[in-house]
Structure formats: structure tokens, C-alpha cells
């Protein structure tokens, strides 16, 4: 079992669902249009009456999925709410919603051109420009998408806990917004890539993508009033079998490493605490520390064939392919790991991060 320092909570400790369903928390990583993989995961989990989601943490696309899920649960049809979110993203166009430029949008260019020096030079040129230069009016159609797909009043009033992370630019600190604070600006801040969008200002502080410091944040899910089981759904593969050599492949792998780094740091802390518990150096159970059972549906294997560029692709066929992959991954998890929920972790953190 993984161990977290207990977070003070105002409400009572979580209790098992009266229906006999297994309560758990969801931790949803960010990753552009690859978030449609989580759409598929959630779609399949929502079909299973053995599970009850009590809390969600997310970044970027993971935060959007979380908000749509909470909004949909309030309306009585969370699967339809998630469908609407991804339909709105598709209809708005990936190069706008996720910050891609028409210069390298994979949906608009043939495959052969994307490996040419001219294409790579165009990418470098585009990335050398500031969003304050090429988008001085700060147009961001993601706000329209979110307002169309999410009932923010229902989200703010929900009993289901939602935590959304964003990076405070001037302070270089993570800020986690909680359920009652969630607005379109909070979700846009959580997804704000600084070389593509102007920083999103909230209460006088500019914010960038939360994935730089927490992707997703796990510690908000450790309060006394959240379930002990946390299901992590990642979008960036941890492991690659080959060393990247092409320029594009190097950029892709570096992106994965950078956006996995905060998560790995948290998982290593969990593993270290567990080792200290096993050695008798840290007291667990009653008192300052609680036990958290970690489970995961990982991108490895399911998304490993996809490039960084595909995170900007919102063609409907591509999004539905990702959804199908997510449903298949969730089906596999339900078969192999659901029996562990409420009993023990199904991720061996000691072996992977200890």
C-alpha cells in the first residue's frame, strides 16, 4: 500500500457506498486531444455499477474530462456530457482548441512532408513567436467549447470533489483549484501552453498549464474525506523501447519526459514512504498518515504509437479511435484490477519507483 501524509479535512471521513459499490478517486493526466482516451476509459467505467467515483483531480484535458463528468453526473447523464465535450472540441477544430498552428496541423498535411527539413524549420519558426505577437487579441475558442459542454454552476455546487491544477507563473508554484472555484478560466489556465496561448490571469496571477508542476496532482486526493483507492489514467507513455534519433522523435520523447516528471516525483515519494513504513521508520494507520491504494490505466501500449503532433488532431475518426482504445483499456482494467479495489494496490510502486 502507498502512504500519504494526511490532509486536514473539514468533513467526515469517507464511508463505503451504501449500495455496495466500490468508491474511488480518479486522477486524470493532461495530454491534448489524447484526452479522448480518458473519455473512453470513463465511458466504460460509467457503465459498471460496481464503481462509484467520489473525487477527481486533473490537468488540461484531464481537467476538462473531470469537469464534464461532474457536470453530467449532476444532470443524470455523465456519458452524454463527455460525448458533448468531445463533439464540441471536434467541431471547434484541434488547431484552435489545443493551440496547434495550421503550419503543422497533422490533419492538414500529408505524412511525407512532416519529416522534411522545411517542415521542421516551419515548426521551429512558429515556436519562436510569442502568442502575444501572433494572437494579440488573445482569441481562445476553448472558452466557447467549455461553456457549451459544461454546466459550471452544477460543477461548483456538486458534492463530488474536483481538483484542477495550474502553474502560477510569477510564483513558480502549483495552485489547485477546488470544486467551488472551477470556472472556464480555471480550465483554460490548466491547459495553457505558454508558447501557444497567453497566460490566463485569475485573481491577478497569470497561470500556465498545470502539467509543468503536477500532472495530475495526487496529494489533493489524500484528504480524510476521499476514498483510499486512487485510479490514475495517464496519457504520456512512461517507457520507450528505442532511443529517439530523428529530430521530431527527440522532441516527442522530451515532451513525454517533461510532463511525466511531476507525476514520477509524487509516485517516488509514495514508494519511499511505503519503504519507510515497511522498515518501521514511519508510523502508519491511526495518526498522521493514511494508506492509499493506487491503481492505474496507463498510456503505455495503448498510446505508444502516437506522436506529439497527434495531440493537436481532433478529427472525429481519430477521437473515436482514442475513445475505443480507452474503452478497451478500461475493460482490461475491470477484468484484471477491479478485484483489488478496496483491498490492495494493483500497482507495484516499490518495483517501479522505489
Amino acid at each position: 500500500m502507498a502512504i500519504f501524509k494526511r490532509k486536514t479535512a473539514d468533513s467526515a471521513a469517507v464511508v463505503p457506498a451504501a449500495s455496495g459499490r466500490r468508491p474511488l478517486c480518479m486522477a486524470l493526466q493532461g495530454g491534448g486531444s489524447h484526452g479522448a482516451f480518458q473519455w473512453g476509459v470513463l465511458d466504460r467505467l460509467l457503465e459498471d455499477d460496481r464503481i462509484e467515483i467520489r473525487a477527481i483531480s486533473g490537468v488540461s484535458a484531464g481537467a476538462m474530462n473531470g469537469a464534464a463528468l461532474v457536470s453530467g453526473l449532476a444532470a443524470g447523464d455523465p456519458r452524454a456530457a463527455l460525448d458533448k465535450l468531445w463533439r464540441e472540441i471536434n467541431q471547434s477544430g484541434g488547431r484552435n482548441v489545443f493551440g496547434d498552428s495550421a503550419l503543422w496541423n497533422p490533419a492538414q498535411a500529408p505524412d511525407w512532408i512532416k519529416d522534411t527539413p522545411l517542415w521542421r524549420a516551419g515548426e521551429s519558426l512558429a515556436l519562436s513567436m510569442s502568442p502575444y505577437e501572433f494572437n494579440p487579441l488573445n482569441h481562445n475558442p476553448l472558452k466557447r467549447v467549455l461553456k457549451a459542454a459544461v454546466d459550471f454552476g452544477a460543477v461548483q455546487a456538486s458534492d463530488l470533489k474536483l481538483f484542477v491544477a495550474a502553474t502560477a507563473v510569477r510564483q513558480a508554484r502549483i495552485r489547485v483549484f477546488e470544486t467551488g472555484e472551477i470556472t472556464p478560466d480555471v480550465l483554460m489556465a490548466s491547459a495553457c501552453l505558454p508558447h501557444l496561448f497567453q497566460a490566463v490571469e485569475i485573481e491577478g496571477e497569470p497561470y500556465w498549464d498545470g502539467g509543468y508542476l503536477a500532472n495530475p496532482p495526487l496529494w489533493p486526493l489524500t484528504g480524510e474525506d476521499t476514498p483510499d483507492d486512487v485510479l490514475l489514467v495517464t496519457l504520456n507513455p512512461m517507457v520507450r523501447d528505442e532511443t529517439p534519433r530523428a529530430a521530431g522523435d527527440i522532441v516527442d520523447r522530451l515532451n513525454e519526459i517533461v510532463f511525466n516528471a511531476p507525476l514520477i516525483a509524487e509516485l517516488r515519494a509514495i514508494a519511499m514512504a511505503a519503504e519507510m513504513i515497511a522498515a518501521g521508520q514511519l508510523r502508519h494507520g491511526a495518526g498522521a498518515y493514511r494508506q492509499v491504494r493506487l491503481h492505474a490505466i496507463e498510456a503505455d501500449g495503448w498510446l505508444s504509437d502516437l506522436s506529439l503532433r497527434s495531440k493537436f488532431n481532433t478529427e472525429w475518426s481519430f477521437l473515436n479511435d482514442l475513445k475505443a482504445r480507452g474503452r478497451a483499456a478500461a475493460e482490461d482494467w475491470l477484468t484484471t484490477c477491479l478485484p483489488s479495489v478496496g483491498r490492495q494496490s494493483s500497482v507495484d510502486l516499490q518495483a517501479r519507483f522505489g
Side-chain angles (χ1 to χ4, degrees), residues 4-72:
F4 276 102
K5 198 171 192 306
R6 192 187 298 273
K7 187 181 75 171
T8 301
D10 296 329
S11 56
V14 67
V15 296
S19 63
R21 300 166 71 187
R22 305 185 188 196
L24 55 75
C25 304
M26 300 290 301
L28 305 176
Q29 193 175 50
S33 66
H34 289 189
F37 174 78
Q38 291 171 347
W39 170 29
V41 168
L42 292 169
D43 189 70
R44 177 63 187 91
L45 294 181
L46 288 166
E47 292 178 345
D48 198 299
D49 60 8
R50 295 171 293 175
I51 292 173
E52 180 178 341
I53 299 171
R54 297 275 191 91
I56 304 167
S57 76
V59 167
S60 189
M64 297 177 211
N65 280 324
L69 174 60
V70 175
S71 174

Side-chain angles (χ1 to χ4, degrees), residues 210-247:
Y212 292 112
L213 295 179
N215 197 19
L218 299 180
W219 60 264
L221 301 176
T222 67
E224 294 178 344
D225 53 350
T226 55
D228 290 339
D229 290 271
V230 176
L231 174 55
L232 169 67
V233 186
T234 65
L235 298 179
N236 296 311
M238 291 280 190
V239 178
R240 292 287 185 182
D241 293 332
E242 298 181 358
T243 302
R245 297 183 182 276

Side-chain angles (χ1 to χ4, degrees), residues 102-120:
L103 183 62
W104 69 80
N105 188 341
Q108 297 181 355
D111 290 338
W112 63 267
I113 200 173
K114 291 183 288 188
D115 291 322
T116 64
L118 181 61
W119 179 273
R120 293 198 294 269

Side-chain angles (χ1 to χ4, degrees), residues 23 26 57 109 162 165 179 190 200 233 238 334:
M26 300 290 301
S57 76
L162 177 61
T179 311
S190 183
V200 178
V233 186
M238 291 280 190
L334 287 168

Side-chain angles (χ1 to χ4, degrees), residues 58-323:
V59 167
S60 189
M64 297 177 211
N65 280 324
L69 174 60
V70 175
S71 174
L73 285 169
D77 197 346
R79 296 178 65 201
L82 287 161
D83 289 353
K84 182 171 179 59
L85 171 66
W86 287 96
R87 174 58 77 177
E88 291 290 340
I89 289 173
N90 162 256
Q91 292 179 348
S92 288
R95 68 188 180 91
N96 295 318
V97 172
F98 291 115
D100 194 15
S101 163
L103 183 62
W104 69 80
N105 188 341
Q108 297 181 355
D111 290 338
W112 63 267
I113 200 173
K114 291 183 288 188
D115 291 322
T116 64
L118 181 61
W119 179 273
R120 293 198 294 269
E123 287 183 321
S124 298
L125 176 62
L127 291 174
S128 70
M129 298 177 63
S130 163
Y132 296 86
E133 297 171 336
F134 65 72
N135 185 15
L137 299 179
N138 199 23
H139 176 64
N140 189 339
L142 179 57
K143 179 173 283 191
R144 187 208 66 79
V145 168
L146 294 171
K147 286 184 175 180
V150 178
D151 181 346
F152 284 92
V155 170
Q156 293 169 4
S158 176
D159 291 331
L160 195 157
K161 296 180 181 298
L162 177 61
F163 305 97
V164 174
T167 299
V169 177
R170 291 199 292 258
Q171 300 179 48
R173 295 176 59 184
I174 196 69
R175 175 170 175 182
V176 175
F177 296 86
E178 300 191 17
T179 311
E181 303 173 298
I182 306 303
T183 64
D185 281 348
V186 167
L187 295 185
M188 290 195 302
S190 183
C192 181
L193 294 172
H195 57 287
L196 298 174
F197 291 117
Q198 295 183 26
V200 178
E201 188 166 306
I202 300 173
E203 299 171 355
E205 175 70 35
Y207 289 93
W208 286 339
D209 194 304
Y212 292 112
L213 295 179
N215 197 19
L218 299 180
W219 60 264
L221 301 176
T222 67
E224 294 178 344
D225 53 350
T226 55
D228 290 339
D229 290 271
V230 176
L231 174 55
L232 169 67
V233 186
T234 65
L235 298 179
N236 296 311
M238 291 280 190
V239 178
R240 292 287 185 182
D241 293 332
E242 298 181 358
T243 302
R245 297 183 182 276
D249 294 338
I250 292 171
V251 171
D252 284 5
R253 186 54 180 158
L254 183 59
N255 176 271
E256 290 173 347
I257 291 171
V258 167
F259 280 101
N260 275 333
L263 174 61
I264 291 173
E266 282 202 75
L267 293 174
R268 282 184 58 82
I270 298 169
M272 183 179 297
E275 290 174 358
M276 294 175 69
I277 293 288
Q281 298 172 334
L282 195 64
R283 186 167 61 90
H284 66 91
Y289 293 89
R290 68 176 287 192
Q291 296 177 327
V292 175
R293 295 177 288 267
L294 188 69
H295 315 277
I297 297 175
E298 299 186 68
D300 297 69
W302 297 103
L303 302 179
S304 298
D305 61 317
L306 302 178
S307 69
L308 172 63
R309 294 186 185 98
S310 65
K311 291 184 177 181
F312 304 121
N313 183 358
T314 58
E315 289 182 307
W316 191 238
S317 59
F318 179 66
L319 295 180
N320 274 280
D321 174 65
L322 291 173
K323 180 185 179 184

